[in-house]
Amino acid sequence: MSCEGIIHIVDDDRAAREGLGFLLSSLGLEIREHASAAALLGMIGDQAEGCILADVRMPEMTGLELLDELKRRNCPLPVIMITGHGDVPMAVRAMRAGAIDFFEKPVDGMALVDRIKDALAASRERAREARKTASLREKTNSLTAREAEVARAVARGLQNKQIATELGISPKTVEIHRHNVMEKMGAGSTADLVRQLVAAGWAEI
């Protein structure tokens, strides 16, 4: 897979599909061509990075219906709509359904490429944030109930003796739990731990 992600071209018009594919592949971008929305949905899986170029007017499932289905599946890939018969209401509907842009045929190739690059950059950033969130969730889920209590108390700015009093345990036990929390969270300092807990929604700045 390209480091930039795959660009999926969805169009029942073979000539249009192959023309776009040739343009994008000549720029070193990795593409996949699909003759229908169903073909795309059948293979896209959980791809996290890339973007989709979809024609609006296709048989069986239109581009707008494809947008709705991608949204239902929580697909993170940005979608750019393309049509040979566009009008303002259709463009508005596509944007409201989640498309990031709308191009009419014949497409301005360089303008489309610029928009695709923006979409790929946004896709990479979204995927990076998703990985960070998943990693953070995995770390917080690894904490025991007592470790979680200690972590929340630390995030509130309490010292070990205060935490011990609040939880009804010894300061030494608090110290052990705090050490375990730091290790499991991969935190290099209390400030680092608090930043992670804020990001996890466990504390407020």
Side-chain angles (χ1 to χ4, degrees):
M1 180 183 294
S2 167
C3 62
E4 292 191 318
I6 297 172
I7 303 166
H8 296 274
I9 303 172
V10 190
D11 197 325
D12 62 308
D13 183 333
R14 181 176 178 179
R17 189 172 69 245
E18 291 181 348
L20 277 176
F22 177 78
L23 170 66
L24 300 178
S25 60
S26 71
L27 296 174
L29 300 171
E30 185 170 356
I31 64 155
R32 295 286 186 277
E33 296 179 17
H34 310 277
S36 68
L40 168 74
L41 294 171
M43 65 79 63
I44 197 168
D46 59 354
Q47 182 184 331
E49 295 184 45
C51 72
I52 297 170
L53 309 181
D55 188 44
V56 170
R57 298 181 184 272
M58 294 185 290
E60 298 180 7
M61 180 182 285
T62 68
L64 295 175
E65 290 170 338
L66 173 61
L67 269 175
D68 290 339
E69 179 61 20
L70 290 170
K71 188 174 182 179
R72 187 187 71 79
R73 297 186 181 197
N74 295 316
C75 177
L77 303 187
V79 180
I80 298 172
M81 302 303 297
I82 298 174
T83 183
H85 310 281
D87 55 23
V88 172
M90 187 177 292
V92 170
R93 183 181 168 195
M95 300 293 277
R96 285 178 175 172
I100 64 168
D101 214 332
F102 189 95
F103 285 82
E104 290 187 73
K105 297 176 182 177
V107 176
D108 180 334
M110 290 303 100
L112 177 62
V113 168
D114 286 342
R115 199 65 181 100
I116 288 172
K117 288 180 178 178
D118 290 342
L120 291 175
S123 175
R124 287 194 297 273
E125 178 62 20
R126 184 182 298 174
R128 186 181 70 84
E129 289 300 320
R131 288 192 294 270
K132 283 174 58 178
T133 298
S135 174
L136 188 56
R137 185 181 300 114
E138 183 178 348
K139 289 191 288 188
T140 55
N141 286 344
S142 73
L143 301 179
T144 66
R146 181 63 85 185
E147 288 167 354
E149 288 180 324
V150 170
R152 291 179 188 277
V154 170
R156 286 162 47 209
L158 300 186
Q159 299 300 313
N160 286 359
K161 288 184 179 180
Q162 294 171 306
I163 297 172
T165 300
E166 183 172 288
L167 299 181
I169 57 180
S170 71
K172 181 62 177 179
T173 301
V174 171
E175 186 178 330
I176 292 171
H177 286 313
R178 186 166 180 159
H179 173 77
N180 291 341
V181 169
M182 297 290 285
E183 281 205 334
K184 289 183 177 181
M185 297 297 294
S189 65
T190 299
D192 184 25
L193 174 63
V194 172
R195 280 194 293 270
Q196 292 191 58
L197 295 176
V198 168
W202 282 30
E204 296 181 358
I205 298 176

